[in-house]
Amino acid sequence: MVTGRRTLVLGGTRSGKSRYAEDLLPADAPVRYVATARRREDDAEWSARIDAHRARRPEGWTTVEDPDLPRLVRAGGDPLLVDDMATWLTGLLDDAGAWESAQVPPGVGAEVAELVDAVAACPGRIVLVSAEVGLGVVPPTRAGRLFRDELGAANAALAAVCDEVLLLVAGLPLRLK
């Protein structure tokens, strides 16, 4: 039973992390579902994944697609579910031109720090979903290593301010905190 105000749900691909996080919040009450994935018109399979996530949300939930995640978290209100941190961070890295840069642009770290501060001060219930990327092999590309390192650091910072942290493995939750 999850009882904290701030919960981070981690997991690998197809681990069940999103569904588990959704089940932590009441289906019959208002929830703001922050969908961080950006739709790409040239990728029908990605759009189908986004549509499948949207279709399984309860009718009373409101979907929010706003990249200013720190602002949304600070606003409080209804319980908030953020799915997921990996696609949010990808958008930040895209917008900052980090893939082509020799160093991670400082704005990326500042935005992540702002989000962590907002989560720490969040006045209401929040559930964050993120990919756990630190269990695999070292990526062969600079972009892969950059993403893994930045998401790992963001996950660790978020875990530090969350009341509860769970890791989903093969659909089973392991309580880390």
Side-chain angles (χ1 to χ4, degrees):
M1 173 61 120
V2 176
T3 57
R5 189 172 49 126
R6 294 175 302 259
T7 302
L8 176 61
V9 179
L10 301 166
T13 303
R14 298 286 186 223
S15 64
K17 61 189 176 292
S18 293
R19 170 106 36 208
Y20 186 87
E22 291 164 4
D23 289 345
L24 294 176
L25 297 169
D28 59 349
V31 170
R32 285 181 304 143
Y33 189 111
V34 181
T36 63
R38 296 178 182 181
R39 195 174 292 272
R40 294 183 5 223
E41 298 306 321
D42 63 336
D43 191 338
E45 186 269 340
W46 184 246
S47 290
R49 285 176 182 249
I50 291 171
D51 292 341
H53 268 256
R54 181 174 286 219
R56 73 174 186 228
R57 292 178 205 145
E59 278 188 33
W61 289 17
T62 303
T63 299
V64 179
E65 294 175 348
D66 182 342
D68 190 352
L69 193 50
R71 181 186 58 75
L72 290 171
V73 172
R74 281 191 306 273
D78 296 329
L80 186 64
L81 185 136
V82 179
D83 193 4
D84 84 341
M85 299 312 306
T87 53
W88 177 76
L89 181 65
T90 298
L92 276 183
L93 293 167
D94 285 346
D95 294 347
W99 310 117
E100 297 82 28
S101 178
Q103 300 291 325
V104 177
V108 172
E111 186 80 6
V112 171
E114 186 179 349
L115 174 62
V116 171
D117 290 345
V119 170
C122 183
R125 177 78 167 109
I126 184 169
V127 177
L128 303 157
V129 178
S130 191
E132 176 50 64
V133 293
L135 301 175
V137 298
V138 175
T141 65
R142 180 193 173 282
R145 291 186 299 273
L146 168 74
F147 177 75
R148 180 209 52 195
D149 293 348
E150 292 300 310
L151 185 59
N155 285 346
L158 288 167
V161 300
C162 283
D163 304 307
E164 297 173 309
V165 180
L166 299 130
L167 174 65
L168 268 281
V169 178
L172 302 173
L174 300 170
R175 182 175 303 280
L176 303 178
K177 177 179 175 184

